[in-house]
Amino acid sequence: MRELLKALEPSNSGICPCAASSELKLRHFAQGLLLLTLRSLLLGLLLAYLLSVIDWFRTLGMSPLYLPFSGIGQYQPRLESAAAQPAFVKGFENFLFYFNCAFPGASRLGSGIGVIAAAFWTLHDAPKSCKVQRLSLGLLAGALIGFRLMLMISSSAFTVLGATVFAALAFAVYMALSSGKSEIPRLPLVEID
Amino acid sequence: MEKDPEIGKVNDDNWGPYQLGPNPLAILKLSLGTAAAISTALLIPDAFALLPSAPNLGVWALRAFGLWAYAYVLWASGFLGILHLIRIFGSPLLLDKEGIRVERIGKKLLWDSIIAIQVSERKIFSRLFFIPAYQMTLHIAKADGKKSVKQIASFQYLPKEFYSLFYFISKLSVGAEPRSVDAFIFRESYLGELKKISEEGRLKRLALTAVISFGLCTFLGRKAMVNYAFNMGNKEFRAAHYDKAIVHYSSASALDFSFAPAWDRLARSEFRQGEIDLAEEHWREALKWKPDFVEAKLGLSNICIQKGKIEEADALVRSANRLAPLDEAAYINRAQIDALMGKSGSAITLLENFVRQREGRELAIANLARLYLREGELSKAARLLKTNPSLLMNPFTRPYCRMVAAELKLAEKNADAAAELLNPMRLGAANHAELLIDFGRLASLQKNYSLAKKYFDASEKLNPDSPFLALARADMELASGARNADFYIAKARSYKYQDATVLAPCAELLLRQGDSKEALELAKTSLSLYPQNEIAKNVLLAVEGKSK
């Protein structure tokens, strides 16, 4: 992770060397994606478990008002995808299914907060990175934010996928077009005598 | 931190430009500090609201801690996200030799126009949020002689950054070097005016504090009342006192109309009281405020099933299945809808797997038994109900299970046993389309055809498209010797989602009418859809026996 972070700061000393090498561009692009993936996994899981533990305290000793949640079993119902759906949408529907299975109850909210926090954390670091990395970070951060926010409103694979793609493109364009780290130096610090 | 060698040269023509954006560490400290204060303030009403449901002090304390931690995480993460959004998309302070730009779209404030700079600590916020909270007020004299103020809060910056900002603004505008972060630096010629402005500012701050305090007390007080009413409702709900629960949930939803769980529980209580229309309205209200509310979707789907809005029920349950694939209620409703959409075979398989893995799930067992009944597999249904005596013990599922048990007795033509099971539910039957059919079938079995017709008419008002109502009516017509059986058989056959549960009884009715050829066709079709259908098998045997 430390090496990844270090690799994300090549533009501090001027133009990024990846401007002249397509192989390096690809590497920087992948490094951006990998960093955010790791961060979102880490924070998503951490907060999911944290909220589950907190929820246990919150509902201590209460008998459930609804039918209880249970583990995954053979009886698990699967949604039927229409035959005409593209394989990508079917794949996304499967991903949604496993995501929703993995985070039931309070952990659903926790994972959502974790994933969005990871996206913002990485966007905060993005101005230090080169254009290619800003593009990849914007793409994945937008996808994560759009995906999780739309999941609060709709459960349809098409709608969630649409929001994910739209947010990914919007963030990617914004991050790629933004100038990165400001050229104006930070205000010098003065100490109280 | 190093002391910058350039700071002595602020009057140099080459000074700046410099920028000062929000510091991530300061933002983090602010969100954590405010989270501690806010979650503690929110805990006061919540702790009070927890009292009715906590069995002892220890459990109450642990639940209160859970609530505090929940609010802490939510506030800290949410507020941090908002501050970062502002940081990412906002603009930093820009300072150069001419002046300072505080807002992205605002005009630059020239150093000459700043007549005084006041920095004072906001002690309440410092103590509440565990961060040094200062506010810098820039007094500005406009070209037309009017005075205005601009304020910069310290919470987005580290203390050293804020002091540096104060230092440079003071030095560049008034020419004085502040030695403390808590100071009022001004041009002497404006002393009289500044005193007046300062006094006005003090009064405005007091008024604002009063408004905020009032708002906070009102908010927390209201929240305490909402949560207290909600928890009281939960207590009554658990004790199955639904009429009392309705009163409490109504209060909670009236006090906070955006509180989706109160709408959901209100609807749930009304549903269990048989107030179907009210329950539908309130479940829709819950979904308006929380569109991914799985339990509200499932509750509403139950009503849609009862009212024959199968497509809407299907959409609701599909959505619930996607949002919570492990939810058992969603699974059971899925099977119910599959059965109504002409896929009773797959619904039976799903429920059989479920019941095998999850013993003692009354609602699933009752649904499976009902499907067996509709496929004519009476022995299987009877065995299932007999081996699960707890079915009639669970207060939540009891009415539905009683109804299925009564349907078994009706299928066995045992009117007395069916009446014994159905009669206690007569009061709640008025708004239950399926229960009304069962009462009609019972009356028909008892040869009270006029009463049966009344029940069927009432059921038709609630769900006019039910094929099972049409089948029950056709059966009554044949039993009473009336001539409208054809009409009702045709109506059942016109049902959009055909499967063996509808076609096989149609075949049996046609056979009773003497139309062996059509009955044979329908029985064969039924068996091709569900080979174990006993009704179709019996029709087939009867037709073959006749031909021999």
Side-chain angles (χ1 to χ4, degrees):
Chain A
M1 184 76 105
R2 191 175 291 172
E3 280 185 12
L4 258 177
L5 287 169
K6 211 174 166 186
L8 273 173
E9 299 181 13
S11 61
N12 278 343
S13 55
I15 299 166
C16 179
C18 79
S21 158
S22 51
E23 193 189 331
L24 208 55
K25 264 185 197 150
L26 195 68
R27 205 167 144 190
H28 282 176
F29 190 86
Q31 275 169 342
L33 291 183
L34 186 63
L35 180 79
L36 183 47
T37 308
L38 288 177
R39 278 181 177 176
S40 56
L41 272 174
L42 182 79
L43 280 186
L45 289 173
L46 194 75
L47 275 155
Y49 278 101
L50 181 69
L51 273 247
S52 296
V53 171
I54 291 172
D55 199 55
W56 180 83
F57 278 110
R58 207 168 63 112
T59 54
L60 186 73
M62 286 185 190
S63 57
L65 287 176
Y66 304 120
L67 283 172
F69 283 101
S70 61
I72 301 172
Q74 284 175 18
Y75 61 81
Q76 194 57 55
R78 295 304 308 271
L79 296 170
E80 290 167 31
S81 298
Q85 267 187 5
F88 183 61
V89 178
K90 275 187 196 171
F92 189 75
E93 201 175 56
N94 278 331
F95 168 72
L96 267 184
F97 171 78
Y98 287 111
F99 181 84
N100 287 328
C101 277
F103 301 110
S107 66
R108 182 179 167 80
L109 176 66
S111 67
I113 293 172
V115 162
I116 293 175
F120 278 125
W121 177 18
T122 313
L123 283 179
H124 153 70
D125 287 343
K128 295 176 194 163
S129 322
C130 69
K131 200 162 218 168
V132 175
Q133 278 164 346
R134 285 205 305 276
L135 181 77
S136 70
L137 291 178
L139 200 68
L140 189 53
L144 289 173
I145 293 169
F147 164 75
R148 193 54 190 83
L149 291 184
M150 186 45 83
L151 213 54
M152 287 167 66
I153 303 167
S154 171
S155 61
S156 149
F158 265 118
T159 319
V160 178
L161 188 60
T164 307
V165 172
F166 174 77
L169 292 177
F171 273 73
V173 168
Y174 178 81
M175 294 307 289
L177 292 183
S178 64
S179 55
K181 196 177 181 182
S182 173
E183 295 301 318
I184 303 172
R186 206 165 168 83
L187 190 72
L189 292 176
V190 183
E191 295 202 53
I192 303 172
D193 291 334
Chain B
M1 296 275 181
E2 282 177 25
K3 190 163 180 172
D4 196 292
E6 292 293 308
I7 58 168
K9 299 179 185 173
V10 288
N11 292 323
D12 192 323
D13 282 348
N14 292 326
W15 192 85
Y18 292 111
Q19 52 109 0
L20 185 64
N23 186 297
L25 187 61
I27 288 176
L28 181 67
K29 280 182 179 174
L30 176 71
S31 59
L32 295 180
T34 50
I38 299 283
S39 51
T40 308
L42 289 177
L43 182 65
I44 299 165
D46 282 343
F48 173 66
L50 277 177
L51 287 172
S53 58
N56 59 52
L57 198 65
V59 170
W60 174 82
L62 285 172
R63 282 185 193 168
F65 167 73
L67 281 172
W68 180 88
Y70 213 84
Y72 184 90
V73 172
L74 287 188
W75 179 273
S77 52
F79 194 44
L80 189 63
I82 291 168
L83 290 174
H84 268 292
L85 263 185
I86 294 169
R87 190 178 167 274
I88 291 166
F89 297 106
S91 132
L93 297 172
L94 288 171
L95 298 91
D96 60 21
K97 60 188 180 197
E98 291 169 352
I100 176 171
R101 189 185 293 277
V102 180
E103 291 146 356
R104 188 191 279 263
I105 49 168
K107 275 185 180 176
K108 186 189 278 182
L109 305 175
L110 300 178
W111 296 127
D112 289 343
S113 67
I114 299 175
I115 55 171
I117 310 112
Q118 180 181 8
V119 177
S120 52
E121 190 183 3
R122 295 282 174 262
K123 283 183 182 156
I124 296 176
F125 291 114
S126 294
R127 281 179 195 162
L128 268 179
F129 301 146
F130 311 106
I131 49 165
Y134 288 90
Q135 182 156 303
M136 188 189 302
T137 308
L138 305 179
H139 294 267
I140 297 139
K142 291 181 182 170
D144 56 6
K146 285 182 183 168
K147 306 286 181 296
S148 67
V149 289
K150 278 266 181 251
Q151 289 180 327
I152 302 168
S154 70
F155 61 76
Q156 295 189 80
Y157 312 105
L158 292 175
K160 274 183 186 174
E161 289 175 335
F162 191 69
Y163 173 69
S164 305
L165 180 68
F166 179 33
Y167 176 91
F168 284 111
I169 292 175
S170 169
K171 189 154 186 186
L172 288 158
S173 58
V174 186
E177 285 186 25
R179 299 285 175 205
S180 156
V181 79
D182 204 340
F184 192 3
I185 295 169
F186 53 88
R187 294 175 204 258
E188 215 166 348
S189 51
Y190 290 94
L191 183 60
E193 280 178 76
L194 285 170
K195 269 185 182 171
K196 202 177 146 194
I197 293 169
S198 181
E199 181 60 20
E200 279 174 12
R202 197 180 66 83
L203 290 174
K204 277 180 191 168
R205 274 202 304 278
L206 276 175
L208 188 67
T209 309
V211 169
I212 290 173
S213 307
F214 177 74
L216 202 63
C217 289
T218 318
F219 170 74
L220 292 179
R222 192 170 128 256
K223 193 167 164 16
M225 285 163 71
V226 170
N227 288 355
Y228 192 86
F230 183 68
N231 286 345
M232 282 297 286
N234 286 348
K235 195 180 171 187
E236 299 295 353
F237 189 94
R238 283 196 175 88
H241 301 149
Y242 301 121
D243 48 346
K244 288 180 186 166
I246 286 173
V247 175
H248 293 299
Y249 290 139
S250 298
S251 306
S253 55
L255 284 164
D256 184 356
F257 57 87
S258 63
F259 189 36
W263 288 116
D264 170 66
R265 302 278 168 86
L266 174 61
R268 201 161 291 274
S269 308
E270 287 162 345
F271 183 67
R272 289 185 185 177
Q273 287 280 82
E275 302 280 354
I276 301 297
D277 291 333
L278 279 174
E280 182 177 357
E281 186 189 331
H282 293 145
W283 261 321
R284 289 192 193 281
E285 191 69 25
L287 286 172
K288 192 171 104 184
W289 294 107
K290 194 175 186 306
D292 63 345
F293 204 153
V294 171
E295 286 77 15
K297 279 176 192 276
L298 293 176
L300 188 57
S301 77
N302 283 326
I303 293 179
C304 289
I305 290 171
Q306 277 200 32
K307 290 192 171 180
K309 299 174 190 170
I310 308 298
E311 286 81 8
E312 190 182 350
D314 182 44
L316 285 163
V317 173
R318 267 178 192 279
S319 175
N321 278 143
R322 284 193 195 101
L323 290 166
L326 306 183
D327 193 297
E328 292 182 359
Y331 178 80
I332 293 167
N333 282 25
R334 171 80 270 139
Q336 259 186 303
I337 291 164
D338 276 355
L340 287 169
M341 294 186 96
K343 292 180 271 185
S344 56
S346 69
I348 286 177
T349 312
L350 286 174
L351 284 173
E352 279 175 343
N353 285 336
F354 181 90
V355 169
R356 209 174 295 133
Q357 296 222 352
R358 299 271 149 192
E359 284 177 16
R361 294 285 190 260
E362 289 90 359
L363 210 54
I365 294 167
N367 270 294
L368 182 58
R370 196 169 199 216
L371 284 176
Y372 283 148
L373 279 178
R374 286 189 172 165
E375 297 288 3
E377 297 179 276
L378 301 196
S379 55
K380 271 189 179 178
R383 199 164 50 242
L384 201 59
L385 293 174
K386 203 175 174 184
T387 50
N388 290 281
S390 65
L391 231 61
L392 301 179
M393 306 298 283
N394 185 336
F396 290 164
T397 53
R398 193 171 48 205
Y400 187 78
C401 298
R402 282 185 83 93
M403 187 177 82
V404 176
E407 283 176 4
L408 172 67
K409 297 300 170 194
L410 286 170
E412 290 171 348
K413 310 281 182 203
N414 185 345
D416 292 341
E420 199 180 318
L421 286 160
L422 284 174
N423 282 337
M425 298 190 286
R426 195 179 293 274
L427 276 176
N431 290 316
H432 199 295
E434 292 176 327
L435 208 47
L436 284 168
I437 297 176
D438 289 342
F439 273 107
R441 287 173 66 194
L442 176 64
S444 174
L445 199 61
Q446 290 167 333
K447 302 197 186 306
N448 189 347
Y449 300 119
S450 59
L451 180 64
K453 190 176 177 305
K454 279 181 189 167
Y455 280 123
F456 290 147
D457 287 345
S459 177
E460 192 165 3
K461 278 181 190 161
L462 295 169
N463 182 7
D465 300 325
S466 170
F468 304 106
L469 173 64
L471 289 171
R473 273 188 185 277
D475 180 63
M476 186 188 77
E477 293 288 321
L478 285 176
S480 64
R483 292 175 183 177
N484 282 333
D486 279 343
F487 171 77
Y488 291 115
I489 294 170
K491 193 174 175 190
R493 288 180 69 180
S494 69
Y495 181 58
K496 203 172 168 184
Y497 303 106
Q498 290 290 357
D499 71 354
T501 59
V502 177
L503 294 179
C506 283
E508 191 193 32
L509 289 165
L510 285 167
L511 187 67
R512 275 164 66 187
Q513 270 193 322
D515 189 349
S516 303
K517 195 181 165 194
E518 191 68 18
L520 187 65
E521 283 301 310
L522 282 185
K524 281 179 180 172
T525 313
S526 301
L527 286 172
S528 70
L529 292 169
Y530 187 72
Q532 292 89 7
N533 189 294
E534 290 293 333
I535 303 169
K537 280 182 192 171
N538 289 339
V539 170
L540 216 61
L541 284 174
V543 173
E544 280 168 2
K546 248 185 201 176
S547 62
K548 277 176 190 170

